[in-house]
Amino acid sequence: MGLGFIISLIAIGIWTIIILTIMIPFNKKYVFRHKITNKIDYEKTKIYLRWNVFDTLTLVLAIYTILCVQALNILLSFEYTIENPFVQFFVNQSQAWVIVIVGYLITRISSTLKCIKAQFGDVNEPDE
């Protein structure tokens, strides 16, 4: 394993610790759960209907990932290969954070739709 991959794994670990130290207390404070089933109570949880710290964190990660991909493109255009530690670093960072961002996007859309349905009812029901 090259030096760039090792440094990238350390960077991913640091990013993960930062993300978890922000998300865990925020989640415990603003996301309401049923006491018996421990499932999210979407009627009481309003945080999915507005911009929150999760979204800001995802935006920062998306910008960081775009910068990593652009740096990788520049290095590859100068004909650097995978033996270069910088290429290794940016390849690993780009792959890891794209997966995280896409996973969060899917989760966020799903949670927002569930919250809308719980708050406002089923929109497809005709008025009688």
Side-chain angles (χ1 to χ4, degrees), residues 38-81:
N38 201 28
K39 291 186 179 182
I40 296 175
D41 184 3
Y42 289 103
E43 288 182 17
K44 293 181 183 177
T45 303
K46 309 271 190 218
I47 197 69
Y48 295 119
L49 297 176
R50 61 176 191 238
W51 188 268
N52 58 48
V53 73
F54 297 133
D55 301 323
T56 305
L57 195 58
T58 304
L59 181 64
V60 169
L61 276 176
I63 292 169
Y64 176 73
T65 304
I66 290 168
L67 293 175
C68 285
V69 170
Q70 291 305 316
L72 179 63
N73 286 336
I74 290 169
L75 289 172
L76 292 176
S77 70
F78 287 125
E79 298 180 357
Y80 287 102
T81 62

Short mmCIF file of all heavy atoms in Angstrom, two decimals, residues 38-81:
data_model
loop_
_atom_site.label_atom_id
_atom_site.label_comp_id
_atom_site.label_asym_id
_atom_site.label_seq_id
_atom_site.Cartn_x
_atom_site.Cartn_y
_atom_site.Cartn_z
N ASN A 38 -38.24 2.49 19.33
CA ASN A 38 -37.03 3.25 19.03
C ASN A 38 -36.96 3.68 17.56
O ASN A 38 -35.89 3.92 17.03
CB ASN A 38 -35.78 2.46 19.41
CG ASN A 38 -34.58 3.36 19.61
OD1 ASN A 38 -34.72 4.53 19.95
ND2 ASN A 38 -33.40 2.84 19.38
N LYS A 39 -38.11 3.75 16.90
CA LYS A 39 -38.16 4.24 15.52
C LYS A 39 -38.41 5.75 15.55
O LYS A 39 -38.98 6.28 16.48
CB LYS A 39 -39.26 3.54 14.74
CG LYS A 39 -38.96 2.08 14.49
CD LYS A 39 -40.01 1.46 13.60
CE LYS A 39 -39.67 0.02 13.33
NZ LYS A 39 -40.64 -0.61 12.44
N ILE A 40 -38.01 6.41 14.48
CA ILE A 40 -38.16 7.86 14.40
C ILE A 40 -39.63 8.22 14.32
O ILE A 40 -40.39 7.66 13.53
CB ILE A 40 -37.41 8.41 13.17
CG1 ILE A 40 -35.91 8.16 13.33
CG2 ILE A 40 -37.67 9.90 13.00
CD1 ILE A 40 -35.09 8.55 12.13
N ASP A 41 -40.04 9.20 15.13
CA ASP A 41 -41.40 9.73 15.09
C ASP A 41 -41.39 10.94 14.15
O ASP A 41 -40.98 12.03 14.53
CB ASP A 41 -41.84 10.13 16.50
CG ASP A 41 -43.28 10.59 16.54
OD1 ASP A 41 -43.96 10.54 15.49
OD2 ASP A 41 -43.73 10.99 17.63
N TYR A 42 -41.83 10.71 12.93
CA TYR A 42 -41.76 11.75 11.90
C TYR A 42 -42.78 12.87 12.13
O TYR A 42 -42.63 13.95 11.58
CB TYR A 42 -41.93 11.15 10.51
CG TYR A 42 -40.73 10.34 10.09
CD1 TYR A 42 -40.74 8.96 10.12
CD2 TYR A 42 -39.57 10.97 9.67
CE1 TYR A 42 -39.64 8.22 9.74
CE2 TYR A 42 -38.46 10.24 9.29
CZ TYR A 42 -38.50 8.87 9.33
OH TYR A 42 -37.40 8.14 8.96
N GLU A 43 -43.81 12.62 12.95
CA GLU A 43 -44.78 13.68 13.24
C GLU A 43 -44.17 14.74 14.15
O GLU A 43 -44.46 15.92 14.02
CB GLU A 43 -46.02 13.09 13.87
CG GLU A 43 -46.87 12.31 12.89
CD GLU A 43 -48.14 11.76 13.53
OE1 GLU A 43 -48.51 12.25 14.62
OE2 GLU A 43 -48.76 10.87 12.94
N LYS A 44 -43.34 14.34 15.08
CA LYS A 44 -42.71 15.28 16.02
C LYS A 44 -41.40 15.84 15.49
O LYS A 44 -40.99 16.93 15.88
CB LYS A 44 -42.45 14.59 17.36
CG LYS A 44 -43.70 14.22 18.11
CD LYS A 44 -43.33 13.57 19.43
CE LYS A 44 -44.56 13.12 20.18
NZ LYS A 44 -44.20 12.42 21.42
N THR A 45 -40.73 15.10 14.62
CA THR A 45 -39.42 15.52 14.13
C THR A 45 -39.60 16.49 12.97
O THR A 45 -40.05 16.12 11.90
CB THR A 45 -38.61 14.29 13.67
OG1 THR A 45 -38.50 13.38 14.75
CG2 THR A 45 -37.22 14.70 13.21
N LYS A 46 -39.26 17.73 13.20
CA LYS A 46 -39.40 18.78 12.18
C LYS A 46 -38.08 19.08 11.46
O LYS A 46 -38.05 19.83 10.50
CB LYS A 46 -39.90 20.07 12.81
CG LYS A 46 -41.11 19.91 13.68
CD LYS A 46 -42.36 20.05 12.90
CE LYS A 46 -43.52 20.11 13.88
NZ LYS A 46 -44.67 19.43 13.42
N ILE A 47 -36.99 18.50 11.93
CA ILE A 47 -35.67 18.86 11.43
C ILE A 47 -35.47 18.46 9.96
O ILE A 47 -34.69 19.07 9.25
CB ILE A 47 -34.57 18.24 12.32
CG1 ILE A 47 -33.23 18.90 12.09
CG2 ILE A 47 -34.45 16.75 12.12
CD1 ILE A 47 -33.17 20.30 12.56
N TYR A 48 -36.21 17.46 9.50
CA TYR A 48 -36.05 17.02 8.11
C TYR A 48 -36.72 17.96 7.12
O TYR A 48 -36.52 17.83 5.92
CB TYR A 48 -36.61 15.61 7.93
CG TYR A 48 -35.84 14.57 8.71
CD1 TYR A 48 -36.46 13.81 9.68
CD2 TYR A 48 -34.50 14.36 8.48
CE1 TYR A 48 -35.76 12.85 10.39
CE2 TYR A 48 -33.79 13.42 9.18
CZ TYR A 48 -34.42 12.66 10.14
OH TYR A 48 -33.72 11.73 10.84
N LEU A 49 -37.49 18.91 7.61
CA LEU A 49 -38.19 19.84 6.72
C LEU A 49 -37.46 21.15 6.53
O LEU A 49 -37.98 22.05 5.88
CB LEU A 49 -39.61 20.11 7.26
CG LEU A 49 -40.51 18.88 7.33
CD1 LEU A 49 -41.84 19.25 7.97
CD2 LEU A 49 -40.71 18.28 5.96
N ARG A 50 -36.27 21.27 7.09
CA ARG A 50 -35.51 22.51 6.91
C ARG A 50 -34.02 22.19 6.79
O ARG A 50 -33.58 21.09 7.06
CB ARG A 50 -35.76 23.46 8.06
CG ARG A 50 -35.35 22.94 9.40
CD ARG A 50 -35.55 23.98 10.48
NE ARG A 50 -34.91 23.53 11.69
CZ ARG A 50 -35.51 23.36 12.83
NH1 ARG A 50 -36.78 23.64 12.95
NH2 ARG A 50 -34.85 22.94 13.88
N TRP A 51 -33.27 23.20 6.39
CA TRP A 51 -31.82 23.05 6.26
C TRP A 51 -31.25 22.86 7.65
O TRP A 51 -31.60 23.57 8.58
CB TRP A 51 -31.25 24.32 5.62
CG TRP A 51 -29.82 24.20 5.25
CD1 TRP A 51 -28.76 24.55 6.02
CD2 TRP A 51 -29.27 23.70 4.05
NE1 TRP A 51 -27.59 24.30 5.37
CE2 TRP A 51 -27.87 23.77 4.15
CE3 TRP A 51 -29.82 23.18 2.88
CZ2 TRP A 51 -27.02 23.36 3.13
CZ3 TRP A 51 -28.98 22.78 1.88
CH2 TRP A 51 -27.60 22.88 2.00
N ASN A 52 -30.33 21.89 7.79
CA ASN A 52 -29.75 21.64 9.10
C ASN A 52 -28.26 21.38 9.00
O ASN A 52 -27.68 21.48 7.93
CB ASN A 52 -30.48 20.48 9.79
CG ASN A 52 -30.45 19.21 8.99
OD1 ASN A 52 -29.40 18.80 8.52
ND2 ASN A 52 -31.60 18.57 8.82
N VAL A 53 -27.66 21.06 10.12
CA VAL A 53 -26.22 20.86 10.17
C VAL A 53 -25.78 19.67 9.32
O VAL A 53 -24.70 19.67 8.76
CB VAL A 53 -25.72 20.73 11.63
CG1 VAL A 53 -26.11 19.40 12.23
CG2 VAL A 53 -24.23 20.92 11.72
N PHE A 54 -26.64 18.66 9.17
CA PHE A 54 -26.32 17.53 8.30
C PHE A 54 -26.13 18.01 6.86
O PHE A 54 -25.23 17.58 6.17
CB PHE A 54 -27.43 16.48 8.31
CG PHE A 54 -27.67 15.83 9.64
CD1 PHE A 54 -28.95 15.70 10.12
CD2 PHE A 54 -26.64 15.35 10.42
CE1 PHE A 54 -29.21 15.09 11.33
CE2 PHE A 54 -26.87 14.74 11.63
CZ PHE A 54 -28.16 14.60 12.09
N ASP A 55 -27.02 18.89 6.42
CA ASP A 55 -26.95 19.39 5.05
C ASP A 55 -25.72 20.27 4.84
O ASP A 55 -25.07 20.20 3.79
CB ASP A 55 -28.22 20.17 4.72
CG ASP A 55 -29.46 19.32 4.86
OD1 ASP A 55 -29.39 18.13 4.51
OD2 ASP A 55 -30.48 19.84 5.33
N THR A 56 -25.38 21.08 5.83
CA THR A 56 -24.18 21.91 5.73
C THR A 56 -22.94 21.03 5.67
O THR A 56 -22.03 21.28 4.87
CB THR A 56 -24.09 22.87 6.93
OG1 THR A 56 -25.29 23.63 6.99
CG2 THR A 56 -22.90 23.79 6.81
N LEU A 57 -22.91 20.01 6.49
CA LEU A 57 -21.78 19.08 6.49
C LEU A 57 -21.66 18.36 5.15
O LEU A 57 -20.56 18.19 4.62
CB LEU A 57 -21.97 18.08 7.62
CG LEU A 57 -20.80 17.24 8.03
CD1 LEU A 57 -19.64 18.12 8.46
CD2 LEU A 57 -21.20 16.34 9.17
N THR A 58 -22.78 17.97 4.58
CA THR A 58 -22.77 17.31 3.28
C THR A 58 -22.29 18.26 2.19
O THR A 58 -21.56 17.86 1.28
CB THR A 58 -24.17 16.78 2.94
OG1 THR A 58 -24.58 15.92 4.00
CG2 THR A 58 -24.17 16.00 1.65
N LEU A 59 -22.71 19.52 2.26
CA LEU A 59 -22.26 20.50 1.29
C LEU A 59 -20.74 20.70 1.37
O LEU A 59 -20.05 20.74 0.35
CB LEU A 59 -22.98 21.84 1.50
CG LEU A 59 -22.62 22.95 0.54
CD1 LEU A 59 -23.01 22.57 -0.88
CD2 LEU A 59 -23.27 24.24 0.96
N VAL A 60 -20.20 20.77 2.58
CA VAL A 60 -18.75 20.91 2.76
C VAL A 60 -18.03 19.68 2.19
O VAL A 60 -17.02 19.81 1.50
CB VAL A 60 -18.41 21.13 4.25
CG1 VAL A 60 -16.92 21.01 4.50
CG2 VAL A 60 -18.92 22.48 4.71
N LEU A 61 -18.56 18.49 2.49
CA LEU A 61 -17.96 17.28 1.94
C LEU A 61 -18.05 17.22 0.42
O LEU A 61 -17.12 16.75 -0.25
CB LEU A 61 -18.64 16.04 2.53
CG LEU A 61 -18.13 15.57 3.87
CD1 LEU A 61 -18.96 14.40 4.36
CD2 LEU A 61 -16.68 15.21 3.81
N ALA A 62 -19.15 17.70 -0.14
CA ALA A 62 -19.30 17.70 -1.60
C ALA A 62 -18.28 18.64 -2.24
O ALA A 62 -17.66 18.29 -3.26
CB ALA A 62 -20.72 18.11 -1.98
N ILE A 63 -18.09 19.81 -1.66
CA ILE A 63 -17.09 20.75 -2.19
C ILE A 63 -15.69 20.15 -2.08
O ILE A 63 -14.88 20.23 -3.01
CB ILE A 63 -17.19 22.11 -1.46
CG1 ILE A 63 -18.51 22.79 -1.83
CG2 ILE A 63 -16.01 23.00 -1.79
CD1 ILE A 63 -18.84 23.99 -0.99
N TYR A 64 -15.40 19.52 -0.93
CA TYR A 64 -14.10 18.87 -0.73
C TYR A 64 -13.89 17.76 -1.77
O TYR A 64 -12.81 17.64 -2.35
CB TYR A 64 -14.03 18.30 0.69
CG TYR A 64 -12.78 17.52 0.98
CD1 TYR A 64 -11.55 18.15 1.14
CD2 TYR A 64 -12.82 16.13 1.08
CE1 TYR A 64 -10.41 17.43 1.40
CE2 TYR A 64 -11.68 15.40 1.34
CZ TYR A 64 -10.47 16.05 1.50
OH TYR A 64 -9.35 15.34 1.76
N THR A 65 -14.93 16.98 -2.05
CA THR A 65 -14.83 15.90 -3.02
C THR A 65 -14.61 16.45 -4.42
O THR A 65 -13.80 15.91 -5.19
CB THR A 65 -16.10 15.03 -2.98
OG1 THR A 65 -16.29 14.56 -1.64
CG2 THR A 65 -16.00 13.86 -3.91
N ILE A 66 -15.29 17.52 -4.76
CA ILE A 66 -15.09 18.15 -6.07
C ILE A 66 -13.66 18.63 -6.22
O ILE A 66 -13.03 18.44 -7.27
CB ILE A 66 -16.10 19.30 -6.28
CG1 ILE A 66 -17.50 18.74 -6.45
CG2 ILE A 66 -15.71 20.16 -7.48
CD1 ILE A 66 -18.60 19.79 -6.38
N LEU A 67 -13.11 19.24 -5.16
CA LEU A 67 -11.72 19.69 -5.21
C LEU A 67 -10.76 18.52 -5.35
O LEU A 67 -9.76 18.61 -6.09
CB LEU A 67 -11.40 20.51 -3.96
CG LEU A 67 -12.12 21.85 -3.83
CD1 LEU A 67 -11.81 22.50 -2.49
CD2 LEU A 67 -11.75 22.76 -4.98
N CYS A 68 -11.05 17.40 -4.67
CA CYS A 68 -10.20 16.21 -4.80
C CYS A 68 -10.24 15.66 -6.22
O CYS A 68 -9.20 15.28 -6.77
CB CYS A 68 -10.64 15.13 -3.80
SG CYS A 68 -10.17 15.47 -2.10
N VAL A 69 -11.41 15.60 -6.81
CA VAL A 69 -11.54 15.08 -8.17
C VAL A 69 -10.82 16.00 -9.16
O VAL A 69 -10.13 15.53 -10.07
CB VAL A 69 -13.02 14.89 -8.56
CG1 VAL A 69 -13.18 14.61 -10.04
CG2 VAL A 69 -13.64 13.79 -7.73
N GLN A 70 -10.95 17.31 -8.98
CA GLN A 70 -10.27 18.24 -9.87
C GLN A 70 -8.75 18.15 -9.73
O GLN A 70 -8.03 18.21 -10.72
CB GLN A 70 -10.75 19.67 -9.63
CG GLN A 70 -12.18 19.90 -10.04
CD GLN A 70 -12.44 19.52 -11.48
OE1 GLN A 70 -11.66 19.82 -12.38
NE2 GLN A 70 -13.53 18.82 -11.71
N ALA A 71 -8.27 18.01 -8.49
CA ALA A 71 -6.83 17.84 -8.28
C ALA A 71 -6.35 16.55 -8.94
O ALA A 71 -5.27 16.51 -9.55
CB ALA A 71 -6.51 17.83 -6.79
N LEU A 72 -7.15 15.50 -8.83
CA LEU A 72 -6.80 14.23 -9.48
C LEU A 72 -6.76 14.40 -10.99
O LEU A 72 -5.83 13.89 -11.65
CB LEU A 72 -7.80 13.15 -9.08
CG LEU A 72 -7.60 11.77 -9.69
CD1 LEU A 72 -6.27 11.19 -9.25
CD2 LEU A 72 -8.75 10.86 -9.30
N ASN A 73 -7.72 15.10 -11.55
CA ASN A 73 -7.73 15.35 -13.01
C ASN A 73 -6.49 16.12 -13.45
O ASN A 73 -5.91 15.83 -14.50
CB ASN A 73 -8.99 16.10 -13.42
CG ASN A 73 -10.21 15.23 -13.40
OD1 ASN A 73 -10.11 14.01 -13.52
ND2 ASN A 73 -11.37 15.84 -13.24
N ILE A 74 -6.10 17.10 -12.67
CA ILE A 74 -4.90 17.89 -13.01
C ILE A 74 -3.66 17.02 -12.97
O ILE A 74 -2.81 17.07 -13.88
CB ILE A 74 -4.78 19.10 -12.07
CG1 ILE A 74 -5.89 20.11 -12.37
CG2 ILE A 74 -3.42 19.76 -12.19
CD1 ILE A 74 -6.02 21.21 -11.35
N LEU A 75 -3.55 16.20 -11.91
CA LEU A 75 -2.38 15.32 -11.80
C LEU A 75 -2.33 14.32 -12.95
O LEU A 75 -1.25 14.05 -13.51
CB LEU A 75 -2.39 14.59 -10.46
CG LEU A 75 -2.09 15.45 -9.23
CD1 LEU A 75 -2.33 14.66 -7.96
CD2 LEU A 75 -0.67 15.98 -9.29
N LEU A 76 -3.48 13.77 -13.30
CA LEU A 76 -3.51 12.81 -14.41
C LEU A 76 -3.22 13.47 -15.75
O LEU A 76 -2.64 12.86 -16.64
CB LEU A 76 -4.84 12.08 -14.44
CG LEU A 76 -5.10 11.14 -13.27
CD1 LEU A 76 -6.49 10.54 -13.38
CD2 LEU A 76 -4.04 10.06 -13.17
N SER A 77 -3.62 14.73 -15.90
CA SER A 77 -3.34 15.44 -17.15
C SER A 77 -1.85 15.73 -17.30
O SER A 77 -1.35 15.87 -18.42
CB SER A 77 -4.16 16.72 -17.25
OG SER A 77 -3.69 17.66 -16.31
N PHE A 78 -1.13 15.80 -16.18
CA PHE A 78 0.33 15.96 -16.23
C PHE A 78 1.05 14.61 -16.27
O PHE A 78 2.25 14.52 -16.02
CB PHE A 78 0.83 16.78 -15.04
CG PHE A 78 0.52 18.24 -15.12
CD1 PHE A 78 -0.16 18.87 -14.10
CD2 PHE A 78 0.88 18.99 -16.23
CE1 PHE A 78 -0.45 20.22 -14.16
CE2 PHE A 78 0.60 20.33 -16.30
CZ PHE A 78 -0.08 20.96 -15.28
N GLU A 79 0.28 13.55 -16.55
CA GLU A 79 0.78 12.20 -16.77
C GLU A 79 1.43 11.57 -15.54
O GLU A 79 2.35 10.77 -15.65
CB GLU A 79 1.72 12.16 -17.97
CG GLU A 79 1.04 12.56 -19.26
CD GLU A 79 1.96 12.52 -20.45
OE1 GLU A 79 3.16 12.23 -20.30
OE2 GLU A 79 1.47 12.80 -21.56
N TYR A 80 0.92 11.92 -14.36
CA TYR A 80 1.34 11.20 -13.16
C TYR A 80 0.60 9.87 -13.12
O TYR A 80 -0.51 9.75 -13.62
CB TYR A 80 1.03 12.00 -11.89
CG TYR A 80 1.94 13.18 -11.68
CD1 TYR A 80 1.52 14.47 -11.98
CD2 TYR A 80 3.22 13.00 -11.20
CE1 TYR A 80 2.34 15.55 -11.78
CE2 TYR A 80 4.06 14.09 -11.01
CZ TYR A 80 3.62 15.36 -11.30
OH TYR A 80 4.44 16.43 -11.12
N THR A 81 1.20 8.88 -12.50
CA THR A 81 0.59 7.55 -12.44
C THR A 81 0.18 7.24 -11.00
O THR A 81 0.38 8.05 -10.10
CB THR A 81 1.58 6.47 -12.94
OG1 THR A 81 2.72 6.48 -12.07
CG2 THR A 81 1.99 6.73 -14.37
#
